[in-house]
């Protein structure tokens, strides 16, 4: 069984910062790509940032220069540092990871989501 647990969401004023964390646990053999997505009310889910094991980090244009994604492979954890937050960043943020379980099957796993609200 594999589980992703997010933390760090909350309410912040415009211009403020938040740091999200997402820890993977369970029967994990390997993790390749890790990513953060968000979904605002009435909108489709969108990719915020992704970080592969090796290779280029990818950001949505709307967050470039303000958000930073990073990972700690020893802790199976991905982070999203969000600075200069804007009201339009308000959304439920979810992490995703492509994980190979100890049964050697790759699959995509999702966290439960954490609410980020930015007030103007």
């Amino acid at each position: 069984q594999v589980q992703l647990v997010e933390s760090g969401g909350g309410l912040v004023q415009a211009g403020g910062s938040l740091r999200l964390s997402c820890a993977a646990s369970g029967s994990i053999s390997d993790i390749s790509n890790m990513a953060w997505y968000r979904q605002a009310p009435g909108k489709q889910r969108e990719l915020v940032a992704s970080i592969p094991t090796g290779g280029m980090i990818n950001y949505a244009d709307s967050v470039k220069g303000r958000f930073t994604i990073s990972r700690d492979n020893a802790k199976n954890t991905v982070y999203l540092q969000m600075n200069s937050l804007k009201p339009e960043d308000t959304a439920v943020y979810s992490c995703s990871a492509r994980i190979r379980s100890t049964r050697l099957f790759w699959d995509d796993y999702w966290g439960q989501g954490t609410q980020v609200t930015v007030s103007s």
Side-chain angles (χ1 to χ4, degrees), residues 61-119:
D61 288 342
S62 58
V63 306
K64 283 182 180 176
R66 301 187 297 122
F67 290 11
T68 302
I69 189 171
S70 61
R71 61 191 286 176
D72 184 334
N73 293 326
K75 295 181 179 180
N76 291 336
T77 299
V78 62
Y79 305 95
L80 185 68
Q81 177 67 43
M82 305 184 293
N83 299 328
S84 302
L85 282 160
K86 303 175 181 180
E88 50 264 44
D89 294 319
T90 296
V92 175
Y93 285 70
S94 301
C95 67
S96 175
R98 186 150 183 86
I99 295 174
R100 182 171 62 182
S101 69
T102 51
R103 294 184 299 166
L104 303 183
F105 294 112
W106 287 97
D107 206 348
D108 293 316
Y109 293 86
W110 290 84
Q112 79 284 359
T114 184
Q115 177 70 44
V116 172
T117 303
V118 184
S119 63

Side-chain angles (χ1 to χ4, degrees), residues 22-82:
C22 173
S25 63
S27 304
I28 297 170
S29 173
D30 196 7
I31 301 177
S32 60
N33 196 60
M34 303 185 85
W36 286 96
Y37 289 79
R38 68 185 181 186
Q39 187 167 21
K43 295 186 177 181
Q44 288 189 332
R45 184 172 63 195
E46 64 171 343
L47 174 68
V48 177
S50 63
I51 180 168
T53 303
M56 188 176 295
I57 292 174
N58 182 46
Y59 292 99
D61 288 342
S62 58
V63 306
K64 283 182 180 176
R66 301 187 297 122
F67 290 11
T68 302
I69 189 171
S70 61
R71 61 191 286 176
D72 184 334
N73 293 326
K75 295 181 179 180
N76 291 336
T77 299
V78 62
Y79 305 95
L80 185 68
Q81 177 67 43
M82 305 184 293

Side-chain angles (χ1 to χ4, degrees), residues 2-21:
V2 175
Q3 189 177 18
L4 298 183
V5 178
E6 297 126 337
S7 61
L11 173 65
V12 64
Q13 288 188 331
S17 298
L18 282 174
R19 188 190 193 211
L20 305 182
S21 300

